[in-house]
Amino acid sequence: MDTYVVRSKTFLPYLVVAAALWVRWPIPEPLWSHIDEQILVYTPLGFWSGDLNPHRFNYPSLQFYLNSFLYYCYYLISHRGPLEGFLAVKYFVDSTDLLSVARAAVTITAVATVAVTMRIGQRLYGQRGAATAGLVLCFMPLHVRFSHLANTDIAATFWLSLAILFALRITEREQVKDYIIGGICVGLAGSTKYPAALVGLAVLVAAWRDPLRIQRVLLAGFTALVTFACTNPYTWLDHSAFLAEFSRMGEMHLIGDSPSSPISSWWYFLRYNLRYGLGLSGVIALAIALCCRPGNWRREELVVATSAISFAILLAFADSGFMRYALPLAPLSAVLIARPMSGLHGMRLAACI
């Protein structure tokens, strides 16, 4: 019996990852698409002219560069003709195969996010917490739905999940390398989706008891800025265009022409984004988890909770209420739903990586 339990615990993470891949794989193609998917197909192809400036800053450029690399690898593997002919066909005839490549990359990133979320759950709540967090995110409607499509939100969620993981390592070990890697992950999150950089607050909370927190937080912040600058070079090489479009985007999505009242924004966020994003059972489980031991929040849990609160506030007061904007909350909610698991086997943290 003991051997069976050990083997179950060993294989369970792999089973969850396999299930996540099965429900997310974009074959056959999803019955719906998103208008922004075309941006992630045609903009990366534009770099092949030698001009690496995306000339659009409503999205950061990291995902464009990564997709451009994937498309070029696909060209080398699948096409024997000249590059010009390949580009002509994809631009003017049919780019369905490139869209499938982009969707597959998003799916793999989404599955990796499930794996990272399980690791976070394990560090906080042990094996049962890992299984709970992984299964919740594996079948969460919000995360599954957008894992089929080419978008930047899923990739940003992956990077912010990694940032949370290394923030937890900071609470345990307070080592310089964790600050540096955490800063890199924050920078990559912001380089994929601007609001995802809010996860930097997790590093700040994690460092709160570190005697050298000021110096190390500054190091993490500097690392994040350098990472962002290197992966989005035209935010400073073409800073005037970037600032103009970034400001216009902020006014459109955060303020809008006729901003709603805070009460109506919160109600929309709770009624639609959370209700249909997490599912009704997920919302109930999250409410129970947040009410569990209200006076006994550990420092490690506050790292996750702070990030969740910061993203929730941004979403609740923003003028745009697109469902995919709630994706940063997906892994954070999955981990918090696992919170009652910590009472089953004590408060001991999982072993460090």
Side-chain angles (χ1 to χ4, degrees):
M1 179 63 70
D2 292 339
T3 302
Y4 174 77
V5 172
V6 171
R7 288 181 178 177
S8 298
K9 290 182 178 179
T10 302
F11 287 107
L12 183 58
Y14 299 101
L15 293 176
V16 173
V17 169
L21 181 62
W22 179 66
V23 299
R24 286 165 173 77
W25 192 247
I27 297 176
E29 292 188 0
L31 298 178
W32 72 297
S33 61
H34 195 277
I35 188 172
D36 288 355
E37 287 189 293
Q38 298 304 315
I39 298 174
L40 287 169
V41 171
Y42 293 115
T43 300
L45 291 177
F47 298 145
W48 294 13
S49 67
D51 182 8
L52 298 180
N53 189 341
H55 299 288
R56 62 169 70 244
F57 297 100
N58 55 335
Y59 287 107
S61 55
L62 176 59
Q63 199 66 23
F64 293 147
Y65 292 137
L66 292 177
N67 278 16
S68 183
F69 174 75
L70 290 176
Y71 298 157
Y72 189 70
C73 292
Y74 174 74
Y75 160 73
L76 293 176
I77 295 172
S78 65
H79 200 78
R80 295 183 179 180
L83 183 62
E84 293 78 7
F86 179 85
L87 284 172
V89 170
K90 302 312 171 188
Y91 261 116
F92 303 112
V93 181
D94 184 14
S95 61
T96 304
D97 52 348
L98 294 186
L99 181 58
S100 297
V101 171
R103 286 175 170 176
V106 168
T107 296
I108 293 171
T109 305
V111 174
T113 306
V114 174
V116 173
T117 301
M118 282 194 290
R119 188 57 180 155
I120 295 172
Q122 182 186 24
R123 299 183 81 90
L124 287 174
Y125 307 123
Q127 293 293 343
R128 293 192 179 186
T132 301
L135 287 171
V136 169
L137 186 60
C138 177
F139 298 106
M140 186 180 292
L142 173 66
H143 199 256
V144 172
R145 182 176 179 84
F146 288 98
S147 297
H148 295 299
L149 304 178
N151 60 80
T152 61
D153 305 84
I154 289 290
T157 303
F158 168 71
W159 293 120
L160 71 86
S161 299
L162 272 183
I164 292 290
L165 180 60
F166 281 95
L168 293 178
R169 289 170 64 107
I170 290 173
T171 64
E172 298 166 5
R173 309 189 309 183
E174 296 177 349
Q175 293 186 3
V176 173
K177 67 178 182 180
D178 293 329
Y179 283 92
I180 294 175
I181 300 175
I184 291 173
C185 293
V186 171
L188 292 174
S191 294
T192 308
K193 190 84 172 180
Y194 296 119
L198 275 176
V199 74
L201 290 174
V203 177
L204 184 63
V205 173
W208 193 252
R209 294 182 182 177
D210 190 339
L212 300 175
R213 59 181 176 274
I214 296 178
Q215 299 94 314
R216 292 180 176 179
V217 166
L218 290 176
L219 175 62
F222 176 76
T223 304
L225 289 174
V226 171
T227 301
F228 180 87
C230 291
T231 51
N232 289 269
Y234 287 91
T235 57
W236 49 278
L237 292 175
D238 192 9
H239 62 277
S240 58
F242 164 71
L243 291 175
E245 190 160 352
F246 187 79
S247 299
R248 184 166 57 252
M249 181 184 62
E251 293 175 357
M252 179 185 303
H253 293 290
L254 293 180
I255 301 176
D257 297 329
S258 55
S260 305
S261 67
I263 295 178
S264 61
S265 297
W266 271 101
W267 177 242
Y268 182 90
F269 172 69
L270 293 173
R271 184 177 181 182
Y272 293 100
N273 286 4
L274 284 187
R275 164 67 178 84
Y276 296 105
L278 273 65
L280 182 59
S281 59
V283 172
I284 295 173
L286 180 61
I288 293 173
L290 294 177
C291 294
C292 178
R293 299 185 306 279
N296 193 21
W297 283 82
R298 293 176 290 144
R299 176 187 173 198
E300 296 81 6
E301 293 176 310
L302 290 176
V303 170
V304 179
T306 299
S307 293
I309 291 171
S310 62
F311 284 113
I313 291 175
L314 177 65
L315 291 168
F317 284 98
D319 187 69
S320 296
F322 297 125
M323 183 70 72
R324 59 193 171 93
Y325 289 175
L327 273 168
L329 288 174
L332 304 175
S333 300
V335 171
L336 291 174
I337 287 173
R339 187 167 182 258
M341 297 296 102
S342 64
L344 298 178
H345 290 288
M347 307 298 290
R348 183 177 60 84
L349 288 174
C352 295
I353 294 176

